[in-house]
Structures are given as C-alpha cells and as structure tokens.
Amino acid sequence: MPTCHHFDAGRCRSCSELGLPYDVQLVAKQRHVEHLLPGVAWLPPVPSAAMGFRNKAKMVVSGTADDPTLGILNPTGAGVDLRDCPLHTPGIQAALPVLARFVSTAALTPYDVPGRRGELKYLLVTESPDGELMVRFVLRSQEPVARIRKHLPALLAELPALVVASVNLQPEHKAVLEGDREIALTEQETLRMRVDGIDLHLRPQSFFQTNTAMAAELYRLGRTWVGEVGPASVWDLYCGVGGFALSVAAPSVVGIEISREAIASAEQSRDEARLSGVRFEAGDATAYALGASTAPDLVIVNPPRRGIGPELSGWLASSGVGHVLYSSCNAQSLARDLAAMPSLRPVRGQLLDMFPNTGHYEVLTLLERV
C-alpha cells in the first residue's frame, strides 16, 4: 500500500485515496467508468507507479525568506512544507531543498495571502524524462527579478539539471496560478520531453500531462488505434504541445490549440521531426470545426475536464467524420458528450491511471460512425 507521512499526520489530504491498496484503487476506477459508460467495450486498465510519478510540482511558497515552506496552505492560511512529497519524481524531490535555499539566498519574500504582501507566490518545477528541469518563479511584480538574475549562476552550478528558468508575473490577488507575462532567465526556453519516441518541446506556459509514463502510453495507444483505422486526414483538437498529432500516422494532420505557447512548442517539435504533413494553428477548437468547409476522416479530441460541449458534439454527430478518438480526464463529461453524439458508437475504451491515489484518471475511447 502506498504511504506518505504527511497524509498519515493529516497535514495533506490531496491524495484522497491513499489509504487504499493500489489494486483496490484501480478496480474502483474501472468500475466507475464502466458504470458511467456501460456501452463501451472496456480493455483492462493501464496501471501507473503509485509513487514518484508526478513530473510537475506546483508549490505554494509561504513562511519567510529566511525560512520558507514549499507546499500547500492549511485552512488558516499557514504554509505546510511538502518538499519531500513522495508523488514527485526523484529529480524534483532532490531539487526542492535546493530551491528552498535559493529563496533565502535571493531574499525572495513569500507572498502572504491573508496580508496581501510579499512577492514569491509559487515555484513550478517540471522534470523531463532525461532528468532535466524547468523552474518557474511566480511573482507578484518584477521587483525581485534582478536578485534572481544575480544569484542564478550559483543556482545553476548547484542544480546542474536546471536548463530552463523563467519568471511569471501574476500581480492579482486571486486564486490564479499564473499570469500572462513570462520573463526568460536562461538561454534555453523549452524543456525537451522525450515521450514514446517523440521529442516534445515544453515551453513555460504550455500544458503537459503530469505523469510521463502514462502520457507515453496514451500516445502509443492513440497511434495504434488510429493506425488501425488508417485515415487519410486527421484533426487533433485541443492538441496542446502536439502529442497526439505528432504520434499518429496520416498524410494530413492538423492540430488546433487555443494556447499560442503550446502551438509554438508543437511547431518546434514538428520541424525537428521533419513531419511535413502536420500543421498546427492557434485557435478555438469548436470555432475551427464549425468554420471548416470539409471534415476529416478522423478527429482526436483531448479537452479539459468540462468536455467538448454541445456545439462540438453536435457538429461531430452530423459532420460525417468516420471516427473520433476521445481522450478524457472526466468520465462524467465524456458520458454527456457521447450521449450528444448518437451517430458515433464507442468501439473500445481504456482507462489509464494518470493520477494514482486520487479519484481521477484518463480514459481513451474510440468511436465509429454507425
């Protein structure tokens, strides 16, 4: 059974299912999706490592510059230090104490939420499969940037895995993780994520799955299932940094994503891989589909938790698209979207345990036109 001394002491309950043996967690998730989507032919679930899988740390910085805490806030607003959280990859666990010392060295005053004062709000740390790190300092203002730059060479010497560093400015006092403006601190601005034979470039404001092993399996399954269909044309809607679009084999692939940072990452990966048949465009997925003059053979959708919604579901149902590959992190919104597409029948589905020790997961479902 996975264990964590923070969970046992009641300091952190983010892993709501941690008290259950891992195989019990997996069975419960499989039963949940089978209940929500009874018409799907479910394959066995894909298990994850129960600990040490999380490639990104989102650490609230609290306390003082001399004695910072990196972790979460308790109900009273005080910091709970989780720098040894066992969910994180070993590289992140090793980096967080070094970064805590850097907060003190650079005199970065943690942001005091109740008092609305201070500067450093979050430390965001991502580790690549190669063990390289991206670190982002989320600040209220530019005031500490000069001190960060001054002490950065010493940090890079102490933490040689750190290859991408930046400052994100989030001046507002509200529960928003990051702002729009990013200030690069290193010459290298992208973290190379080698996943299932593909090099994906991750920029500071780009999204990537938090479980690298499950992301690799997700893209591998997508490539296999799409390959069995053999489409001539594919759209990858909500494509992010291009994981599915760059994995599948088709003469024509178009990836659509609202984030321009993610599109820039996807285009860099495409150009390095010399995939001339893949095109990316920044824009709204639903608007792109509704405004298109022709439909592709197959559409991939990988939306946020809210799902694709009635407009895109309705378009897919009436479009003539032969197959849809739907990757979902919320089976409830997936069930709602599938109910709105009665002309597309689920062929198979598979659960990937992207988020062990919680009730969350990823589900991949292949639909075909009736």
Side-chain angles (χ1 to χ4, degrees), residues 117 146 333:
R117 60 181 178 270
S333 60

Side-chain angles (χ1 to χ4, degrees), residues 129-257:
D130 294 334
E132 295 183 329
L133 296 172
M134 174 192 291
V135 174
R136 302 171 65 203
F137 301 86
V138 181
L139 303 176
R140 188 176 67 162
S141 76
Q142 281 189 253
E143 186 274 328
V145 173
R147 293 198 304 279
I148 293 176
R149 289 189 186 278
K150 175 184 175 181
H151 295 284
L152 186 60
L155 176 62
L156 294 173
E158 188 176 3
L159 196 59
L162 175 56
V163 296
V164 181
S166 67
V167 162
N168 179 272
L169 297 181
Q170 207 295 78
E172 299 183 70
H173 180 80
K174 60 182 182 181
V176 176
L177 184 65
E178 59 188 70
D180 294 331
R181 187 179 175 195
E182 200 83 18
I183 301 172
L185 300 174
T186 52
E187 182 178 355
Q188 185 171 326
E189 296 186 25
T190 67
L191 187 66
R192 189 184 298 270
M193 306 293 287
R194 302 182 191 273
V195 180
D196 193 34
I198 305 167
D199 283 1
L200 299 174
H201 285 273
L202 185 64
R203 290 174 181 266
Q205 291 183 297
S206 301
F207 169 79
F208 186 79
Q209 300 281 6
T210 59
N211 189 326
T212 304
M214 290 297 98
E217 184 66 13
L218 183 67
Y219 298 144
R220 187 195 69 78
L221 284 173
R223 182 177 68 248
T224 300
W225 292 5
V226 171
E228 291 172 358
V229 173
S233 55
V234 174
W235 290 354
D236 181 8
L237 305 182
Y238 310 93
C239 71
V241 295
F244 279 117
L246 296 167
S247 298
V248 301
S252 173
V253 180
V254 177
I256 305 297
E257 167 61 47

Side-chain angles (χ1 to χ4, degrees), residues 3-345:
T3 60
C4 170
H5 68 97
H6 296 294
F7 181 88
D8 294 341
R11 288 187 292 269
C12 176
R13 291 284 173 166
S14 300
C15 296
S16 58
E17 308 301 307
L18 191 58
L20 298 174
Y22 181 67
D23 57 344
V24 174
Q25 296 180 34
L26 203 58
V27 167
K29 292 181 181 185
Q30 181 80 356
R31 287 176 177 170
H32 180 64
V33 296
E34 289 176 354
H35 173 73
L36 286 173
L37 300 160
V40 179
W42 289 103
L43 298 172
V46 181
S48 168
M51 291 292 181
F53 64 86
R54 189 175 175 88
N55 60 29
K56 177 180 284 188
K58 300 178 181 180
M59 312 303 282
V60 178
V61 185
S62 190
T64 65
D66 290 335
D67 186 22
T69 64
L70 310 182
I72 60 174
L73 299 179
N74 68 16
T76 68
V80 178
D81 197 277
L82 301 176
R83 68 185 76 176
D84 61 345
C85 171
L87 290 186
H88 295 139
T89 58
I92 290 178
Q93 291 187 47
L96 289 175
V98 179
L99 292 169
R101 291 194 295 272
F102 181 79
V103 171
S104 301
T105 300
L108 304 177
T109 305
Y111 185 68
D112 176 38
V113 174
R116 301 193 179 195
R117 60 181 178 270
E119 285 293 339
L120 181 58
K121 294 184 172 183
Y122 300 96
L123 278 173
L124 308 180
V125 186
T126 305
E127 184 179 18
S128 77
D130 294 334
E132 295 183 329
L133 296 172
M134 174 192 291
V135 174
R136 302 171 65 203
F137 301 86
V138 181
L139 303 176
R140 188 176 67 162
S141 76
Q142 281 189 253
E143 186 274 328
V145 173
R147 293 198 304 279
I148 293 176
R149 289 189 186 278
K150 175 184 175 181
H151 295 284
L152 186 60
L155 176 62
L156 294 173
E158 188 176 3
L159 196 59
L162 175 56
V163 296
V164 181
S166 67
V167 162
N168 179 272
L169 297 181
Q170 207 295 78
E172 299 183 70
H173 180 80
K174 60 182 182 181
V176 176
L177 184 65
E178 59 188 70
D180 294 331
R181 187 179 175 195
E182 200 83 18
I183 301 172
L185 300 174
T186 52
E187 182 178 355
Q188 185 171 326
E189 296 186 25
T190 67
L191 187 66
R192 189 184 298 270
M193 306 293 287
R194 302 182 191 273
V195 180
D196 193 34
I198 305 167
D199 283 1
L200 299 174
H201 285 273
L202 185 64
R203 290 174 181 266
Q205 291 183 297
S206 301
F207 169 79
F208 186 79
Q209 300 281 6
T210 59
N211 189 326
T212 304
M214 290 297 98
E217 184 66 13
L218 183 67
Y219 298 144
R220 187 195 69 78
L221 284 173
R223 182 177 68 248
T224 300
W225 292 5
V226 171
E228 291 172 358
V229 173
S233 55
V234 174
W235 290 354
D236 181 8
L237 305 182
Y238 310 93
C239 71
V241 295
F244 279 117
L246 296 167
S247 298
V248 301
S252 173
V253 180
V254 177
I256 305 297
E257 167 61 47
I258 196 71
S259 167
R260 294 187 179 278
E261 282 288 293
I263 289 298
S265 299
E267 290 177 332
Q268 183 175 351
S269 301
R270 175 206 59 199
D271 292 346
E272 282 191 3
R274 298 181 180 179
L275 296 173
S276 58
V278 182
R279 178 172 65 86
F280 292 101
E281 184 177 320
D284 178 77
T286 300
Y288 181 84
L290 269 59
S293 57
T294 58
D297 297 330
L298 184 145
V299 172
I300 301 169
V301 291
N302 186 15
R305 288 189 61 79
R306 65 177 180 273
I308 64 175
E311 277 192 291
L312 186 53
S313 295
W315 182 86
L316 286 168
S318 61
S319 65
V321 168
H323 291 83
V324 174
L325 185 69
Y326 195 136
S327 182
S328 170
C329 60
N330 182 356
Q332 291 180 322
S333 60
L334 171 60
R336 184 174 61 246
D337 290 338
L338 294 187
M341 298 185 286
S343 59
L344 289 161
R345 176 179 62 87

